[in-house]
């Protein structure tokens, strides 16, 4: 089964490039099958990771950014692939 984890954060005012650099530097062990990073207006950063695992498997996730780097708590979602 393929599971996708989504991690989305909004940077504190003026700190979008710093949040993007921070998230790119984060490693996951083990590494996912695939990982993509996106940015959007409003200093938003989105990371999607794909895993070959059951939906409820314990998987490594990106942490919360350091205090003051994000405007709010990170939003997280988990999805499974469907045919």
């Amino acid at each position: 089964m393929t599971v996708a984890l989504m991690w989305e954060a909004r940077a504190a005012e003026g700190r979008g490039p710093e949040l993007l650099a921070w998230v790119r530097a984060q490693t996951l062990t083990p590494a996912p099958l695939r990982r993509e990073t996106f940015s959007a207006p409003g200093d938003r950063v989105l990371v999607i990771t794909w895993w070959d695992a059951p939906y409820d498997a314990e998987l490594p996730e990106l942490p919360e950014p350091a205090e003051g780097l994000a405007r709010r708590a990170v939003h997280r979602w988990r999805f499974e692939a469907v045919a």
Side-chain angles (χ1 to χ4, degrees), residues 15-25 37-39 45:
R15 297 187 73 183
E18 188 179 348
L19 177 62
L20 184 57
W22 176 86
V23 82
R24 285 179 164 168
T37 303
F38 303 86
S39 64
V45 176

Side-chain angles (χ1 to χ4, degrees), residues 1-82:
M1 172 184 300
T2 300
V3 175
L5 303 183
M6 294 177 64
W7 179 101
E8 186 267 339
R10 186 169 183 197
E13 187 68 35
R15 297 187 73 183
E18 188 179 348
L19 177 62
L20 184 57
W22 176 86
V23 82
R24 285 179 164 168
Q26 301 305 302
T27 59
L28 296 170
T29 304
L33 296 172
R34 181 173 158 194
R35 175 177 171 167
E36 290 191 50
T37 303
F38 303 86
S39 64
D43 290 328
R44 288 186 168 87
V45 176
L46 171 70
V47 179
I48 305 173
T49 57
W50 285 263
W51 305 87
D52 182 17
Y55 182 82
D56 58 353
E58 278 195 43
L59 299 169
E61 295 195 45
L62 294 168
E64 292 282 330
E67 188 173 332
L69 187 54
R71 233 176 258 220
R72 56 166 167 70
V74 168
H75 291 180
R76 301 169 193 271
W77 302 275
R78 184 177 286 224
F79 297 90
E80 64 183 335
V82 295

